[in-house]
Amino acid sequence: MRRIISSLLLLALHLPVGARNILPVFIADNHGETFGWVSRTFDLDQRFQLVLVDAHTDASATERSEEIREQLRRVPNMEARAKTVEKWRTSGRIQAFNWIEPLMPRPFESVCWLAATELDPPRLAELHNKGLDELDGRLEVEPRASGSFANRWQTVDLAGFLAWDPGNQPLVLSIDLDFFVGMAAAERGETFEAIWQRAMEWPGLAGVAFSVSRPWLENEREADALVQLACDAVHRTRGATLEIDASIDDRPDGSNKAGEHLTSSKSVPRWDAATAPDQLRNRLLAFGDRLKITDRKRDWEQILGKWKNDSQPLRISPEGGQVDCDDVWRFAAGAPPVLRVEAPAGATGRVRWYALEPAQAAYDLLPHTGLGKSFSSSPARWIYYKRRSLVATEDFALAPSSWHSGGPGSFRIEAEVEMGGGWMAAPPVELRLAEGNGFRASLSECFHMPYVFGVAGMNEISLTGVETGWGSDCSNMLIYAWRRNGRPLQWGDPGRLRSQLATKQSMAIRRDEIERGIAIDFGKHVAALWEDREPLGELDGNDLVIHHLGNFPKIITLAEISKERPRFSLRVPRQARELRLKVAGDVVLAGEERVEIPGMEKGSAALFLANLEGVPSLKIPEHAPRYDFRFPPARLEWLRFKGVDVVSLANNHAGDAGEKGLVAGLKALHAIGLAAVGAGRNAVEACQPWRTEQNGVRVAIFGICLVDSMVAGDNQAGVAKLPEHSALLEGEILRAKLAGEQVIIMSHGGSEYRLEATDSQRAWAKWLVARGANLIVGAHPHVIQRSETYGGAIIVHSLGNAVYPKHLKGLDSGHVREFILRNDGSVSESNLSATPLEKSDEK
């Protein structure tokens, strides 16, 4: 119920609720399992074309197939269908050689069979007729309502496959890995790559199923290598999810090949995912939440847990940087980093490096609409990254000159490390190099991104639109840049963007305006001003603009882009009411000698917030704290003198005086006129925000603790904490958003005296932004940690110390930050808004 309420609230806020472009991929040892996967994944009455890549037809007719077709549909629910399919598989009625015919003519209206890499006309005709004979083999004794399938079967070789154009018809791709038997590793890789890349270009591709077919393979090593090849391709495909049926195939097998094995060795070999080599385990673990493994007899949660425990770290780390919440490493274009593999013991030092690059320059995520045809004649739907070999090194480092030829943009780098048992892939690292400042810097991150029609509807985990990294388009590239600068505009087409901006009344331009963003609106297309060239200060044809249409982003002159679009207007962010907000980090009023950092005062700000580390009470707790930050309530006068309006008590020292001491401290704060958030007499009170409205800007301020602390309960005083109060806090934040309030989070998390944000800090920051946080400011580490922008929100992981006892470490690490909140939902650092914005000419 809570999930439903959250979705309704998100809809009311016009926030994405999970629009995704998902390509389901399935792997099992036997194509008989593909029958069950198809029956539970697709609408059985929808028309699909099956594309079969297989050394065999798999088209043998099934006894009483009309009965199978009817029973598949006459079930009350999916669970009943699964049980019915299981019965057929257990009895041997559905097997690898006859799974296709019962699924025709619905959902498989027709079949295109890739039978071999190269076929002369006689052999092609022979194989084609073989498929037809098998499909209609029982037609005389068991007539079908749909008659012969002869006109529904097509046979091709690789050249025919690559030239074949299915149009927009929905497709299911079935690949039996025995197709690659006998190929050398290089030929196998090239052939698989050609097949996969072509399939990713089909707009109607709806799913992919792999069969390992272990009985037809030479040995386990070949089976694992082929599964590795498949998993590598799936991993490099945006939106692809992987389901593996890891059950050891113990079903009846009436195939001729199984008979041969039983005659020679008394057993039929089967592929066992649980015995996968380290290289394949490493790749499967890299899928994370994109992987689902089922097994009729074994607990794969336990198996994967053991794999994780046994695995050794293998990752690429750019030197001198920190990863952002969106898993991107950001650097200046003029300072690309050295990349280094962190490899486990046993690595030889040899590394093969690759650049991962989009196979196409343009994609259409909405092929069914037909609207994407205007930018490309045949755009692909699935974004697949091809590998381009960079260099092989004899140590673990890659020099910038080996992967970066100059300029800004988005880059994905992957590495393979030589281990004792072979080459193991390190998960790719994504880097974005920026040029300039502000809006222009964020635009420059989009170079090398493909054009993706429909990217506005993307939602991946807590990222949306261009922030997912799938690509961008003309309007959403600009929206991305504004969101990176604290203006959370809604994704959309040029019309949607136009509705969120104001018209700039003059053609005079300033450098600071370019840094804040100027859109050049051509109606159905939009670009951004990139550089003001001579004559300076006035927009003319010599000036450079950046735009994104049907290819990778590029910079051209205004005169060039205006040849076909002579009429345009300039658009800029709307003028909005503002509220200046100051925030200080840890304020420790315990002890007798304390140090105060410069700027610890309200000044001209409308609001001044601080994390009060400790409790204004001298009550003696039942259990003495390890570090005692209690202090006399009289010291609160000093905070009032400094102009502090709101303090957060959501920290690990709020319980230093026990429950009674916390309640007494809250009373002392209220008595002196200081608002307190993040703590209360119970959980509901602790999770309530403090609200205010000034100059038309409505604000809701929350305090949230992420570390061990005295947690508030139903009838117990304490602090608001994640994950314990996730449901309460989610509801309060959504209510604040519905009320049009800016959501400010004062968080308390991380590791003390650590300069880098922890995984926990980043994870909860993402969670909070996904629910509507506009600004998150952190405390607890007692040192300054970096800031970043994520999902249109600003995150300051730690402000460090503001007031602290002299004996604390990190005494010089702290600062007070000032932000500007606007009633349009945007947030920025105060020094980015020195000049007024244009007034809106729209209602």
Side-chain angles (χ1 to χ4, degrees):
M1 178 60 71
R2 187 171 72 246
R3 184 180 297 274
I4 294 173
I5 293 172
S6 296
S7 297
L8 291 173
L9 288 168
L10 288 167
L11 283 169
L13 290 164
H14 306 291
L15 297 175
V17 287
R20 299 185 68 185
N21 211 41
I22 295 176
L23 177 67
V25 181
F26 178 73
I27 296 179
D29 185 46
N30 190 307
H31 254 330
E33 301 304 324
T34 301
F35 180 93
W37 175 73
V38 169
S39 71
R40 67 175 183 270
T41 304
F42 303 104
D43 180 352
L44 296 181
D45 292 314
Q46 186 179 352
R47 301 183 181 204
F48 291 90
Q49 183 146 4
L50 175 66
V51 182
L52 178 68
V53 179
D54 202 327
H56 311 92
T57 66
D58 290 359
S60 297
T62 308
E63 292 187 12
R64 306 190 309 279
S65 62
E66 289 286 69
E67 179 183 283
I68 291 176
R69 294 182 187 89
E70 183 178 354
Q71 288 187 25
L72 273 177
R73 288 157 175 80
R74 294 184 64 177
V75 292
N77 50 49
M78 292 301 293
E79 182 180 358
R81 178 177 291 170
K83 288 180 178 179
T84 302
V85 172
E86 175 68 16
K87 180 179 67 175
W88 293 332
R89 290 287 293 124
T90 303
S91 68
R93 193 169 178 187
I94 296 295
Q95 296 193 41
F97 51 80
N98 66 6
W99 68 277
I100 294 175
E101 188 264 349
L103 296 173
M104 296 177 70
R106 299 287 184 275
F108 296 150
E109 184 176 43
S110 58
V111 179
C112 178
W113 176 33
L114 170 56
T117 54
E118 191 172 351
L119 294 169
D120 58 30
R123 179 58 176 162
L124 182 66
E126 178 186 351
L127 290 176
H128 180 70
N129 291 331
K130 181 177 185 293
L132 298 185
D133 290 344
E134 292 180 352
L135 272 181
D136 286 346
R138 297 185 60 82
L139 194 58
E140 290 187 10
V141 295
E142 293 182 15
R144 301 189 197 100
S146 50
S148 171
F149 290 157
N151 63 344
R152 299 177 185 272
W153 187 271
Q154 181 180 359
T155 307
V156 297
D157 62 7
L158 185 58
F161 174 89
L162 297 178
W164 181 64
D165 182 7
N168 289 332
Q169 180 172 337
L171 303 167
V172 174
L173 173 64
S174 169
I175 301 178
D176 195 321
L177 296 175
D178 68 8
F179 180 87
F180 304 94
V181 167
M183 294 185 186
E187 180 190 3
R188 183 172 63 198
E190 291 174 3
T191 304
F192 185 95
E193 176 78 11
I195 292 170
W196 188 262
Q197 185 174 332
R198 179 66 184 117
M200 294 304 105
E201 296 171 0
W202 297 330
L205 182 64
V208 182
F210 287 98
S211 173
V212 181
S213 291
R214 174 63 184 86
W216 294 88
L217 306 184
E218 184 177 345
N219 50 40
E220 283 296 316
R221 184 175 180 180
E222 184 177 43
D224 289 331
L226 286 167
V227 174
Q228 178 87 40
L229 194 65
C231 290
D232 285 348
V234 176
H235 194 267
R236 297 200 302 271
T237 303
R238 289 279 192 180
T241 61
L242 180 60
E243 177 185 349
I244 299 178
D245 183 339
S247 306
I248 297 177
D249 193 1
D250 56 359
R251 311 300 180 79
D253 190 341
S255 67
N256 293 334
K257 195 66 176 179
E260 293 176 16
H261 281 289
L262 289 172
T263 300
S264 61
S265 61
K266 308 302 181 184
S267 65
V268 180
R270 301 299 183 190
W271 179 66
D272 185 1
T275 62
D278 289 343
Q279 293 90 336
L280 181 52
R281 293 185 183 188
N282 182 63
R283 173 57 81 199
L284 291 175
L285 290 173
F287 274 92
D289 293 340
R290 295 166 60 195
L291 175 68
K292 175 185 177 183
I293 300 183
T294 60
D295 197 310
R296 294 190 303 277
K297 297 180 179 179
R298 296 177 292 187
D299 181 358
W300 269 86
E301 187 174 337
Q302 185 178 30
I303 294 173
L304 289 173
K306 187 176 186 307
W307 283 9
K308 291 175 184 176
N309 291 334
D310 294 344
S311 66
Q312 300 183 63
L314 183 63
R315 61 184 180 185
I316 303 172
S317 295
E319 290 187 352
Q322 294 182 41
V323 67
D324 281 345
C325 282
D326 57 1
D327 296 324
V328 173
W329 298 76
R330 289 181 166 85
F331 297 88
V338 172
L339 304 182
R340 187 174 298 278
V341 172
E342 297 179 24
T348 66
R350 296 181 62 198
V351 182
R352 299 190 296 214
W353 297 89
Y354 303 90
L356 300 184
E357 300 169 337
Q360 305 288 327
Y363 294 86
D364 185 357
L365 304 185
L366 305 171
H368 56 283
T369 67
L371 299 174
K373 291 183 179 179
S374 59
F375 66 82
S376 178
S377 58
S378 57
R381 178 182 179 187
W382 301 105
I383 302 171
Y384 173 58
Y385 287 87
K386 294 178 62 177
R387 268 180 162 188
R388 177 170 62 85
S389 180
L390 292 174
V391 67
T393 60
E394 297 298 322
D395 57 17
F396 298 113
L398 181 69
S401 58
S402 296
W403 65 270
H404 181 245
S405 58
S410 176
F411 304 86
R412 289 169 63 87
I413 307 297
E414 189 175 57
E416 288 182 339
V417 180
E418 186 181 48
M419 306 292 293
W423 293 87
M424 186 175 295
V429 63
E430 184 166 355
L431 304 102
R432 295 195 191 148
L433 306 187
E435 177 182 304
N437 300 304
F439 183 76
R440 171 171 161 155
S442 301
L443 285 174
S444 70
E445 290 186 2
C446 297
F447 285 110
H448 311 305
M449 283 187 181
Y451 186 96
V452 179
F453 182 79
V455 71
M458 282 301 93
N459 187 337
E460 192 170 65
I461 310 176
S462 57
L463 294 173
T464 58
V466 180
E467 291 161 354
T468 61
W470 286 46
S472 69
D473 61 16
C474 67
S475 58
N476 289 295
M477 180 175 68
L478 275 62
I479 292 170
Y480 171 78
W482 269 308
R483 288 173 68 91
R484 289 284 305 157
N485 285 272
R487 291 187 173 275
L489 303 183
Q490 297 297 308
W491 307 107
D493 59 17
R496 181 71 180 275
L497 174 60
R498 187 180 307 117
S499 70
Q500 301 177 79
L501 300 175
T503 301
K504 181 174 167 57
Q505 301 299 332
S506 77
M507 293 293 169
I509 51 178
R510 300 188 306 271
R511 182 174 179 178
D512 61 288
E513 287 181 308
I514 298 175
E515 288 190 5
R516 288 203 305 275
I518 298 176
I520 304 174
D521 183 0
F522 295 99
K524 292 184 178 180
H525 185 51
V526 64
L529 183 59
W530 177 257
E531 181 182 331
D532 180 22
R533 290 190 160 185
E534 296 286 351
L536 300 178
E538 189 75 21
L539 189 70
D540 59 41
N542 292 325
D543 293 334
L544 298 181
V545 302
I546 179 174
H547 80 129
H548 201 180
L549 184 63
N551 210 307
F552 298 105
K554 64 179 182 178
I555 296 173
I556 60 177
T557 65
L558 179 59
E560 184 179 353
I561 197 174
S562 299
K563 286 179 181 178
E564 297 180 1
R565 307 173 182 87
R567 301 186 62 176
F568 62 84
S569 59
L570 303 185
R571 304 277 177 174
V572 293
R574 292 178 178 177
Q575 186 180 44
R577 293 182 178 273
E578 297 181 345
L579 182 153
R580 288 182 179 265
L581 173 79
K582 264 191 174 182
V583 190
D586 285 318
V587 173
V588 180
L589 297 182
E592 297 305 319
E593 291 188 85
R594 295 177 299 281
V595 177
E596 167 192 344
I597 67 170
M600 182 59 199
E601 58 187 0
K602 186 174 185 177
S604 60
L607 288 174
F608 190 18
L609 318 180
N611 173 66
L612 184 56
E613 183 112 36
V615 59
S617 172
L618 297 179
K619 288 185 180 292
I620 299 174
E622 183 177 348
H623 301 288
R626 182 179 177 188
Y627 298 104
D628 189 355
F629 281 2
R630 294 177 297 155
F631 62 90
R635 291 182 184 172
L636 295 175
E637 290 284 357
W638 182 84
L639 290 178
R640 291 294 294 157
F641 172 74
K642 287 294 183 177
V644 173
D645 299 289
V646 184
V647 298
S648 172
L649 289 177
N651 58 64
N652 53 310
H653 288 284
D656 284 0
E659 283 187 59
K660 293 182 179 179
L662 175 57
V663 172
L666 288 167
K667 289 181 179 178
L669 285 161
H670 296 156
I672 202 170
L674 283 169
V677 295
R681 292 167 296 181
N682 52 55
V684 171
E685 189 174 285
C687 294
Q688 287 290 316
W690 179 81
R691 293 179 157 90
T692 187
E693 180 176 352
Q694 297 189 36
N695 195 32
V697 182
R698 306 183 69 184
V699 179
I701 299 168
F702 293 81
I704 300 175
C705 190
L706 307 177
V707 297
D708 289 341
S709 53
M710 189 173 74
V711 182
D714 292 342
N715 297 294
Q716 175 181 318
V719 303
K721 187 174 182 295
L722 287 171
E724 287 84 344
H725 297 137
S726 57
L728 272 173
L729 289 166
E730 181 176 24
E732 290 298 332
I733 292 171
L734 288 171
R735 273 187 279 275
K737 298 304 292 183
L738 286 172
E741 295 171 332
Q742 289 264 48
V743 173
I744 313 302
I745 308 290
M746 300 177 69
S747 68
H748 201 84
S751 297
E752 291 182 331
Y753 307 110
R754 173 175 166 166
L755 296 175
E756 298 84 21
T758 64
D759 291 341
S760 175
Q761 281 173 281
R762 284 192 291 267
W764 285 117
K766 290 191 284 188
W767 188 90
L768 289 163
V769 171
R771 279 145 187 83
N774 300 89
L775 173 65
I776 301 173
V777 284
H780 180 67
H782 299 300
V783 292
I784 295 172
Q785 292 178 342
R786 61 194 295 273
S787 304
E788 60 173 297
T789 303
Y790 174 83
I794 293 178
I795 302 167
V796 182
H797 289 292
S798 175
L799 288 170
N801 291 321
V803 180
Y804 48 88
K806 277 190 173 181
H807 66 272
L808 279 183
K809 292 162 57 179
L811 301 183
D812 57 347
S813 181
H815 56 191
V816 177
R817 297 279 284 274
E818 184 172 299
F819 304 92
I820 293 180
L821 313 181
R822 303 180 187 87
N823 65 348
D824 61 2
S826 63
V827 181
S828 64
E829 292 273 11
S830 60
N831 60 356
L832 297 181
S833 298
T835 54
L837 300 174
E838 292 286 334
K839 292 184 178 180
S840 173
D841 62 348
E842 302 180 34
K843 295 181 180 179

